[in-house]
Amino acid sequence: KWKGEGTTQNLESIIIGRCYDYIRIVNPAVGEKNCSQIWEAFKNAFINKDPCSILPKDYELFINLTLHTIPPNKSLFWENNQLLVNSFADRGRRYMSLGDTLFGFVGDFLYWCGQADSPGLDYESCPTTVECENNAVESFWRMASITYAQHSSGVIRVLLNGSADGGAYPQPGFFADYEIPNLQKDKISQIIIWVVDDVEGPDIDSCGVNTVKTLETRLKTLGYDVTCTDNHKSVMFLLCLD
């Protein structure tokens, strides 16, 4: 029916389990959360609805139940390098990327969608963003990205892939469209951009050129203090190690 992957098997167990994993082991500092309630809010955002008419605001209750403080100077935004960001952030120990917040952690790498007029999940197929923008997963990450940007403060970092096809700073993209517009300027002291090339990869984009220049100009025009570094050493060490 749809071109995308169907709902991840055992979705409910995974989300509730990840929720407990997060509040007990990964980041107990967030305090008590009601994991069953969080699952219900998550499910009710898209269940029994046309899988192409799910909006970011449908996840509002889920976000409210999972929300917690993002420590200042710990935010790490990114495009086109999710696995690198996950290992670099180290589950919030070094940085707290979107995937290291409770609301991002429970949804990472999962697929899901419901069906109109049916309380069940669709395990066969789910719509891709090409098929319809307002699908359950896309709208979830838009809402999560907006929330993450709104709650980021201090020095914030952006890790971009200088070897990515089409440039390090994609437009449209989550950072361009949902995160930058929702940053709270009065809470942010500096934005540090790291452009890192793949070890064997082409050097397509760097600080001050192409799409990175576009990004630097946009942020400076908005009044941010911006610095940019190519191939930041600690990230390169991690890439070399892999």
Side-chain angles (χ1 to χ4, degrees), residues 100-131:
D100 304 306
T101 64
L102 175 56
F103 48 94
F105 188 80
V106 297
D108 232 4
F109 299 106
L110 303 178
Y111 296 93
W112 64 89
C113 63
Q115 306 163 65
D117 312 316
S118 154
L121 299 163
D122 189 340
Y123 292 101
E124 297 302 308
S125 64
C126 291
T128 61
T129 303
V130 175
E131 290 175 286

Side-chain angles (χ1 to χ4, degrees), residues 11-21 35-36 38-39 106:
L11 184 72
E12 178 176 355
S13 302
I14 293 172
I15 287 186
I16 292 175
R18 281 183 177 184
C19 172
Y20 281 118
D21 185 27
C35 294
S36 313
I38 284 169
W39 160 253
V106 297

Side-chain angles (χ1 to χ4, degrees), residues 25-160:
I25 297 160
V26 177
N27 189 6
V30 300
E32 275 304 304
K33 302 284 182 188
N34 186 328
C35 294
S36 313
Q37 215 180 347
I38 284 169
W39 160 253
E40 290 300 323
F42 174 83
K43 183 183 69 174
N44 290 335
F46 64 90
I47 220 80
N48 261 323
K49 297 179 189 173
D50 170 355
C52 279
S53 63
I54 315 298
L55 299 172
K57 66 174 172 53
D58 294 333
Y59 288 99
E60 257 168 19
L61 177 57
F62 166 83
I63 290 289
N64 290 340
L65 292 171
T66 51
L67 197 59
H68 58 82
T69 307
I70 296 168
N73 312 319
K74 285 274 194 175
S75 290
L76 178 63
F77 294 84
W78 57 273
E79 287 281 7
N80 294 318
N81 50 25
Q82 185 172 9
L83 295 173
L84 174 62
V85 165
N86 282 8
S87 52
F88 188 55
D90 196 18
R91 280 187 154 190
R93 196 175 64 86
R94 287 195 198 94
Y95 295 100
M96 187 179 279
S97 69
L98 173 52
D100 304 306
T101 64
L102 175 56
F103 48 94
F105 188 80
V106 297
D108 232 4
F109 299 106
L110 303 178
Y111 296 93
W112 64 89
C113 63
Q115 306 163 65
D117 312 316
S118 154
L121 299 163
D122 189 340
Y123 292 101
E124 297 302 308
S125 64
C126 291
T128 61
T129 303
V130 175
E131 290 175 286
C132 62
E133 279 198 22
N134 294 330
N135 67 63
V137 175
E138 182 78 8
S139 290
F140 173 89
W141 288 114
R142 286 179 182 173
M143 188 64 183
S145 291
I146 289 166
T147 307
Y148 180 70
Q150 287 171 339
H151 289 84
S152 291
S153 64
V155 179
I156 68 166
R157 292 163 180 86
V158 189
L159 182 55
L160 302 176

Side-chain angles (χ1 to χ4, degrees), residues 132-209:
C132 62
E133 279 198 22
N134 294 330
N135 67 63
V137 175
E138 182 78 8
S139 290
F140 173 89
W141 288 114
R142 286 179 182 173
M143 188 64 183
S145 291
I146 289 166
T147 307
Y148 180 70
Q150 287 171 339
H151 289 84
S152 291
S153 64
V155 179
I156 68 166
R157 292 163 180 86
V158 189
L159 182 55
L160 302 176
N161 184 342
S163 300
D165 279 348
Y169 169 59
Q171 291 176 281
F174 277 87
F175 186 57
D177 301 339
Y178 299 98
E179 291 169 341
I180 293 174
N182 286 290
L183 293 172
Q184 308 296 297
K185 189 166 178 309
D186 53 332
K187 295 199 302 189
I188 291 165
S189 53
Q190 190 185 19
I191 299 180
I192 297 173
I193 303 166
W194 289 328
V195 185
V196 176
D197 299 329
D198 295 339
V199 173
E200 302 285 315
D203 175 10
I204 293 174
D205 228 336
S206 309
C207 294
V209 295

